[in-house]
Amino acid sequence: DGGITQSPKYLFRKEGQNVTLSCEQNLNHDAMYWYRQDPGQGLRLIYYSQIVNDFQKGDIAEGYSVSREKKESFPLTVTSAQKNPTAFYLCASLGTADSLKDGYTFGSGTRLTVV
Amino acid sequence: KQEVTQIPAALSVPEGENLVLNCSFTDSAIYNLQWFRQDPGKGLTSLLLIQSSQREQTSGRLNASLDKSSGRSTLYIAASQPGDSATYLCAPITDSWGKLQFGAGTQVVVTP
C-alpha cells in the first residue's frame, strides 16, 4: 500500500545534540511538508518542498534544516539551535499533478523529547 | 495570513447523537478544504476533501459543507459511535504551494 513512513516513532535528544527525523513516501508525490504539533495548538509548518533539490521555509523554520535529494525522501534535522524541540512532528505529502484536488496524506508522526 | 477557528473546542455526547463541528476561516480565497481526524498520539487521517467549487462532500456517516463566501465549513457526523472519539481538524489550502493552515481542533468524546 502507498503511504508515508516516519521513523523513529519516539526519539530522545540530549541537550546540544542534532537529531534527524526520517520521512519516506511511495506515493510518487512531488510536494512534501513538515509540521510541528504542540499540545493545545494547531499544527505549524516548518519546511516544505515542491521539487527535488528545492525547499522553502515555513512559519517556524528557525533551528531546523531539511534536504530533498530524492523525490521520496524529506528528512528533517532538529539542530541544537532549536531551544524547545520537544513536540510531535508530522510529515505530509501532496501530489502536484492534480495536487489541490487530491488532498494531503500524513505519516504517523515522530515524538521528540529532550532529556 | 489565514486564521482558522474551530468551535467548539471540545464536545461530549452520548452514543447515537449527531455531531456538528464548525470551522471558520478568514481568507475565503481557498483552493480546497480538508477535514482530518487525529487519535491520541497518532498522525492525521483524511476524512473529506471539499473543492472550492463544491458546496458539500459526503462519505458514509460524514458530511462536510463549505460556504466560501462566509468563510465557513461544517462537519456533520450522523449517529455517533464511541469509535468516533478523536480530535477533528479542518485545514484550508490558500496558496499554490499547497500549504495547509490548521485550526486547533475539536476534541470529541462519544460515551456509550
Side-chain angles (χ1 to χ4, degrees):
Chain A
D1 288 336
I4 296 180
T5 301
Q6 288 188 242
S7 62
K9 188 171 182 178
Y10 300 97
L11 186 58
F12 298 90
R13 192 194 92 167
K14 294 182 179 179
E15 295 284 349
Q17 270 187 340
N18 292 353
V19 292
T20 297
L21 285 60
S22 171
C23 178
E24 302 278 333
Q25 54 103 353
N26 61 2
L27 300 164
N28 199 33
H29 283 175
D30 290 311
M32 297 185 74
Y33 306 78
W34 275 105
Y35 288 88
R36 168 178 172 145
Q37 187 176 35
D38 294 281
Q41 296 190 35
L43 280 74
R44 293 180 290 169
L45 181 64
I46 305 172
Y47 267 100
Y48 58 102
S49 167
Q50 282 209 328
I51 57 173
V52 174
N53 293 322
D54 185 55
F55 46 83
Q56 306 292 328
K57 292 182 179 180
D59 299 323
I60 56 166
E62 185 175 353
Y64 300 98
S65 66
V66 293
S67 63
R68 188 84 187 277
E69 297 177 0
K70 299 185 297 182
K71 185 176 183 178
E72 58 270 22
S73 178
F74 192 41
L76 173 74
T77 296
V78 184
T79 74
S80 57
Q82 171 50 240
K83 298 306 178 187
N84 184 23
T86 295
F88 191 50
Y89 291 86
L90 287 160
C91 179
S93 71
L94 185 68
T96 54
D98 281 314
S99 62
L100 303 179
K101 298 180 182 179
D102 294 337
Y104 272 67
T105 299
F106 275 83
S108 57
T110 292
R111 185 165 299 281
L112 174 62
T113 303
V114 174
V115 296
Chain B
K1 181 183 175 183
Q2 179 77 279
E3 299 288 338
V4 180
T5 303
Q6 290 190 244
I7 294 173
L11 185 61
S12 182
V13 299
E15 182 177 4
E17 276 201 10
N18 297 332
L19 293 165
V20 181
L21 310 180
N22 297 297
C23 172
S24 62
F25 44 94
T26 54
D27 184 352
S28 62
I30 65 171
Y31 288 84
N32 61 28
L33 185 144
Q34 198 164 356
W35 279 93
F36 297 91
R37 167 190 172 132
Q38 186 176 31
D39 294 291
K42 306 292 185 182
L44 275 63
T45 300
S46 179
L47 297 174
L48 289 168
L49 173 69
I50 310 177
Q51 304 295 336
S52 61
S53 58
Q54 296 177 311
R55 297 288 300 212
E56 65 179 308
Q57 190 69 253
T58 298
S59 176
R61 295 185 294 113
L62 306 180
N63 173 278
S65 66
L66 175 65
D67 184 343
K68 268 186 57 176
S69 61
S70 66
R72 292 181 183 179
S73 178
T74 302
L75 178 66
Y76 302 90
I77 303 177
S80 61
Q81 303 169 358
D84 294 329
S85 298
T87 296
Y88 292 82
L89 299 162
C90 80
I93 294 179
T94 51
D95 67 20
S96 59
W97 288 97
K99 291 179 288 182
L100 291 171
Q101 194 70 36
F102 284 90
T106 294
Q107 186 176 7
V108 171
V109 174
V110 180
T111 55

